Amino acid sequence: MFTKITEERAFDGILAQIIENIRRGELKPGDTLPAERVMAESLGVSRPAVREVLRALELMGIVTTVRGGANYITENMDQWLSAPLALLFQLNNSHVQQVQELRSALEQEAALLAAGKCTEKDALDLRSILAQLESSEDEKARAGLDKELHTKIGRIAGNPMIYNVLDAAAQLTEEIISGTRAYIMQKHNSALEVDEQHRRLVEAVISGDRNQAEKLMREHMETIEKYILEIAQQQGENSLAFHR
């Protein structure tokens, strides 16, 4: 599985071989990696060099380390991008408006894809979330269900790249949703506009109308962006941060 590499390029070489083995299917989700000693001998490097790479892969969510030192390829490979992307968002100190611009583009594509892949089980889940959202009187719970609805559409889309980027921005996305809903409730004493957009969006996804689902998601994102700009203007800032 592994071939010897030069010690001076140990980190890059070890990392490249593990990733290549995953790509080729030699290492599959749930597989146990060889012991550090065995890997070090196979690669012709030191055990600390192997340990350093495994630690990096663990931070990236590709490798899971369990008590006792065993290392596994993570079971849920679809989400391996979430951790490094989330770190990137944090390091860049991304503003809510910037995250919303990215979210808008991805949410529209996710809605289009989801409309072509929605199963009967997915339809039941979407309607269940929507029913809870519409019946709840707790605005904090409604904000959580709002986010859950968008997350479900992202999952139905079936594109792990789109889902991972949205998931990585989850904390800021949650702040966008809760902050915007709070502002709408304060301004209109209801969120009927947003709720109606959700209802129409869900029906378009379930019915398989890809163009309509994309159009409705775009309109929904434009509504959110309108309120974000209003909040920013009230705060007198070019960027803003919502607080729960």
Side-chain angles (χ1 to χ4, degrees):
M1 185 181 295
F2 299 110
T3 58
K4 294 189 183 299
I5 56 179
T6 59
E7 184 71 34
E8 63 185 31
R9 299 286 295 175
F11 185 94
D12 292 341
I14 298 167
L15 180 62
Q17 289 199 42
I18 293 175
I19 296 299
E20 179 62 16
N21 277 306
I22 294 173
R23 189 189 68 79
R24 292 203 317 261
E26 296 289 336
L27 288 171
K28 300 180 178 64
D31 281 356
T32 307
L33 283 164
E36 288 180 4
R37 176 184 56 80
V38 175
M39 288 183 65
E41 290 175 357
S42 299
L43 292 159
V45 297
S46 66
R47 288 182 65 178
V50 171
R51 192 175 302 122
E52 182 182 8
V53 172
L54 293 176
R55 175 58 178 158
L57 289 171
E58 182 182 9
L59 290 172
M60 293 169 64
I62 297 175
V63 167
T64 300
T65 301
V66 299
R67 190 171 182 177
N71 297 292
Y72 298 84
I73 303 300
T74 187
E75 290 278 2
N76 194 350
M77 287 297 291
D78 285 348
Q79 296 185 25
W80 75 269
L81 275 174
S82 295
L85 282 173
L87 179 60
L88 181 62
F89 282 127
Q90 293 173 30
L91 290 175
N92 283 344
N93 194 27
S94 300
H95 295 146
V96 170
Q97 287 169 309
Q98 295 171 341
V99 175
Q100 175 59 22
E101 289 169 0
L102 174 63
R103 178 195 177 204
S104 178
L106 294 178
E107 291 269 19
Q108 290 176 54
E109 184 65 19
L112 184 150
L113 292 172
K117 299 177 182 178
C118 187
T119 66
E120 290 185 8
K121 173 63 167 59
D122 292 329
L124 286 172
D125 290 343
L126 285 172
R127 287 198 169 110
S128 174
I129 297 168
L130 185 62
Q132 294 176 69
L133 177 57
E134 292 179 338
S135 63
S136 177
E137 297 182 359
D138 182 341
E139 187 53 37
K140 185 175 182 181
R142 284 167 59 82
L145 289 162
D146 188 325
K147 179 175 179 291
E148 185 179 347
L149 183 67
H150 284 272
T151 298
K152 180 61 181 179
I153 292 172
R155 284 191 179 279
I156 297 171
N159 186 319
M161 300 296 285
I162 292 176
Y163 179 80
N164 270 282
V165 176
L166 289 172
D167 187 54
Q171 182 176 347
L172 289 177
T173 298
E174 185 175 354
E175 291 174 351
I176 290 172
I177 293 171
S178 61
T180 305
R181 290 189 69 94
Y183 175 77
I184 293 172
M185 288 296 295
Q186 182 181 22
K187 182 176 181 179
H188 300 295
N189 201 33
S190 79
L192 291 177
E193 178 185 15
V194 173
D195 289 344
E196 178 60 26
Q197 288 178 340
H198 283 145
R199 191 179 303 113
R200 294 171 61 208
L201 173 61
V202 166
E203 290 308 316
V205 170
I206 291 174
S207 67
D209 191 334
R210 289 160 54 90
N211 291 334
Q212 181 71 351
E214 182 184 31
K215 174 178 176 290
L216 290 171
M217 183 65 87
R218 180 173 65 253
E219 291 175 355
H220 180 51
M221 291 294 106
E222 287 172 351
T223 298
I224 301 303
E225 288 163 9
K226 177 187 72 174
Y227 285 119
I228 286 175
L229 286 174
E230 285 185 16
I231 298 168
Q233 288 169 0
Q234 286 189 9
Q235 293 181 346
E237 300 173 354
N238 292 324
S239 62
L240 66 159
F242 290 132
H243 301 284
R244 296 183 186 86

